[in-house]
Amino acid sequence: MRTDLTSLTTVRNLGILAHVDAGKTTVTERILYATGTTHRRGEVHDGTTVTDFDPQERDRGITIFAAAVSCAWDGHRLNLIDTPGHVDFADEVERSLRVLDGAVAVFDAVAGVEPQSESVWRQADRHGVPRIAFVNKLDRAGADLDAAVASIRDRLHPAPLAVQLPIGSEDGFRGVVDLIRMRALTWAEAGEAMVAGPVPDELREEARRRRRMLEEAVAERHTGALEEFCTQSTVSSTTLVAALRDLTRNGDGVVVLCGSAYRNRGIEPLLDAVVAYLPSPVDVPPVRGIPEGNGIPEGNDEVREERTADPDAPFAALAFKVNATPTGRLTYLRVYSGTIEKGDIVRDANARRTERIGRILRVQADRHAQLERAVAGDIVAVVGLKSARAGTTLCDPAAPIVLEPPGVADPVVSVAVEARRTADSDRLATALARLAEEDPSLVVRTDPETGQTVLSGMGELHLEVAVEKIRRAQGLDVGVGRPRVAYRETVVRGVRGHVHRHVKQDGGAGQFAHVVLDVEPLHPEPGGTGFAFRSTVVGGRVPQEYVRAVEAGCRDALAEGPLAGHPVTGLRVTLTDGSTHVKDSSEMAFRTAGRAALLGALRDSAMTVLEPVAEVTVTVPEDAVGGVLGDLAARRGRVTGSAVRAGAAVVTATVPLSELFGYATRLRGRSQGRGTFTARPTGYAVAPGSIR
């Protein structure tokens, strides 16, 4: 039997999300310290953190790989994942969010909502992950809780419900007023215990005003709180906590707390909020999957199965991370239902083979503690799996099921890599294959024209980290070519009534397929991506199974466009007519005809090349704005906004991704090392002079 500490209702699986440098890792370190998991506060700038344990993370001072840790607070087990904040590692965040029940979003009290804050918030929206917000760095010059809350409301559009009021500001920040229980929580020095006391006289009236605002905001959104507010003209603390829990879990509001993680102020109330407001595994909907081997017809959910968070149910788990270590291959799992023990046989539903669980480990970043078993709600690592990848479903062999894997974004930047010594070529190929196995957002392929090995990823830093990992782990001398971006081709003006007949007669059964296609842009303006196919054929002139074959052939044709061989996107294809032969028509014939017909239609259409673009946010001293704007213009950037925050200018622009290589060095030079920037891929735009 499980103990009370680890029963399902006392488990919280949560992630720490934020923009780079908002303080995610410091918050995680202070949580570990406050819970007694560590006895020394780790610092990012000293390279002594638990979760940023990789040498590259410590050298660069940023989180690169999602790290899992486990700790206990107030009788609850917290399984915590510290996620990266840099946009190049957004896929690492995606894989983590897929298996989490809740999250803490960390915001900088000076900058408020930053570009990557918005990106990870939207990722959490897609996965339906409830969140609470922690406004960090209130000890910084220019820190403003109200401005940060306003930016959450304006840019993220939830209802921010601030439950704390800062005591002191900037260097004088020393605690918070708990608006729910109307008490002051203060910390004398970093590392000192929290002290609860009465609200200071000078803040009493402001605290009452804000408590009233909180009650009104909650009553607007929660029926139970509204009834009490209408009958008693106030809302009790008990009702307020219950209402905030409901609003957090259904996404109608987000609880906002504040503090300074670096000075260790505000962490204990944050932990209390995690326990009070974020859901346990039994509070979230059952995970859904399909029986192994079944496809899901579009719009049909009837074939899906549910697995509840029950230790006695059939075992089902999702692998969300794979890590090759010197001591073996670790596969990180979220167990959704059932129980596994060391030595159990489980089924890899994706590879359709069985595997044996060698060991089960409780993860503490790069340290591990052995467990005898894992049950529903656990996040653990296992040793012994050979075929599992990120996104693999592991299940009971007697009740196979396939869970929906995390999405994988298309890579946008590529570099050519080669071993400088011919003798190391095989070792490099093995190392690259292992990299792609650990990180599905890295793609390795061989260029058919040049024969070069091409590594593709989510950004310049992503590829730089991957190559450096090979150099350090394998001791290989690797040469890297200039980065290249992933261009696309699209239709500007299509064609109608393009006819293609596929006829082949060379003895035996022949092949016959006749199709008529219309091709048109999918979006009013070039730059949108996607592909849509539909059929308007009437009278059964083309049977439905052949229509599906035509669609498959059209998708085959999208691999290489007529302009420069880039993949084609942003078009709609309509099958308007066709005919069949009694004996010679087949699905293969119509697939071949669909491919050839679309290739011919694209050659007759007006086409253009699309290049990936990114939203760039540059923060520089005001005296350097002129040089930055000139440099952005030279890089074909289009400025979309500017603002002044805490004495620094913040410029937002849309810039082609190909023009951003080496920008960090140029920006440092133009701002005397005081400028920073972030880039977030936002889609595609027409490349100049590319319309044909």
Side-chain angles (χ1 to χ4, degrees), residues 349-561:
N350 300 79
R352 301 191 182 185
R353 55 173 288 178
T354 56
E355 298 258 31
R356 181 180 178 275
I357 302 294
R359 288 182 293 155
I360 304 173
L361 306 173
R362 174 80 68 197
V363 181
Q364 289 294 110
D366 59 339
R367 298 187 296 274
H368 315 100
Q370 293 210 39
L371 299 174
E372 289 302 313
R373 64 177 186 163
V375 302
D378 275 337
I379 292 180
V380 296
V382 297
V383 180
L385 304 183
K386 296 181 174 61
S387 62
R389 305 286 185 269
T392 291
T393 299
L394 298 173
C395 56
D396 186 335
I401 189 173
V402 179
L403 306 178
E404 182 182 353
V408 180
D410 292 331
V412 295
V413 179
S414 301
V415 292
V417 293
E418 62 179 10
R420 296 195 186 277
R421 296 191 309 163
T422 306
D424 290 337
S425 297
D426 290 344
R427 288 178 60 205
L428 175 61
T430 302
L432 288 171
R434 182 175 296 173
L435 267 184
E437 179 183 313
E438 293 184 5
D439 185 352
S441 60
L442 287 171
V443 176
V444 182
R445 63 181 178 85
T446 301
D447 190 308
E449 296 181 5
T450 64
Q452 289 179 304
T453 299
V454 177
L455 179 64
S456 303
M458 303 306 299
E460 200 172 0
L461 179 60
H462 189 204
L463 296 180
E464 186 181 318
V465 166
V467 172
E468 185 63 24
K469 188 173 183 179
I470 291 176
R471 287 173 175 155
R472 294 190 183 199
Q474 306 296 328
L476 291 173
D477 188 6
V478 181
V480 180
R482 175 176 168 75
R484 296 180 297 175
V485 299
Y487 292 96
R488 296 288 185 267
E489 297 180 22
T490 194
V491 175
V492 178
R493 186 178 63 258
V495 295
R496 291 187 173 275
H498 184 85
V499 180
H500 182 80
R501 290 177 180 271
H502 174 64
V503 181
K504 187 176 182 182
Q505 202 75 39
D506 54 1
Q511 294 186 27
F512 177 87
H514 165 223
V515 297
V516 182
L517 302 180
D518 289 349
V519 177
E520 59 185 334
L522 184 59
H523 307 277
E525 295 294 329
T529 58
F531 170 73
F533 181 90
R534 62 183 177 181
S535 171
T536 59
V537 177
V538 296
R541 291 176 58 82
V542 180
Q544 189 60 38
E545 62 268 24
Y546 293 166
V547 171
R548 289 194 294 267
V550 173
E551 179 180 357
C554 290
R555 291 185 182 276
D556 293 341
L558 300 177
E560 293 186 8

Side-chain angles (χ1 to χ4, degrees), residues 669-690:
R670 288 187 176 273
S671 62
Q672 289 79 48
R674 296 175 294 167
T676 60
F677 86 101
T678 59
R680 179 169 62 96
T682 55
Y684 286 82
V686 175
S690 63

Side-chain angles (χ1 to χ4, degrees), residues 21 35 47 61 142 145 161 188 430 525 529 593 635 638 651:
D21 287 337
T35 57
L145 175 63
L161 304 169
T430 302
E525 295 294 329
T529 58
R635 295 172 184 269
R638 180 171 57 86
V651 178

Side-chain angles (χ1 to χ4, degrees), residues 200-250:
D201 293 340
E202 65 273 15
L203 288 176
R204 195 163 294 159
E205 191 59 37
E206 178 67 10
R208 289 197 189 100
R209 185 181 73 84
R210 293 195 180 229
R211 165 64 184 246
R212 185 69 176 181
M213 291 171 56
L214 176 63
E215 291 177 357
E216 292 173 352
V218 171
E220 284 179 11
R221 296 166 176 82
H222 192 275
T223 305
L226 178 61
E227 291 176 358
E228 185 172 314
F229 187 79
C230 291
T231 57
Q232 302 181 17
S233 298
T234 187
V235 181
S236 68
S237 297
T238 302
T239 302
L240 206 53
V241 169
L244 289 171
R245 180 188 302 115
D246 292 341
L247 293 175
T248 298
R249 294 179 183 181
N250 62 28

Side-chain angles (χ1 to χ4, degrees), residues 100 340 376 612 687:
L100 293 173
I340 52 167

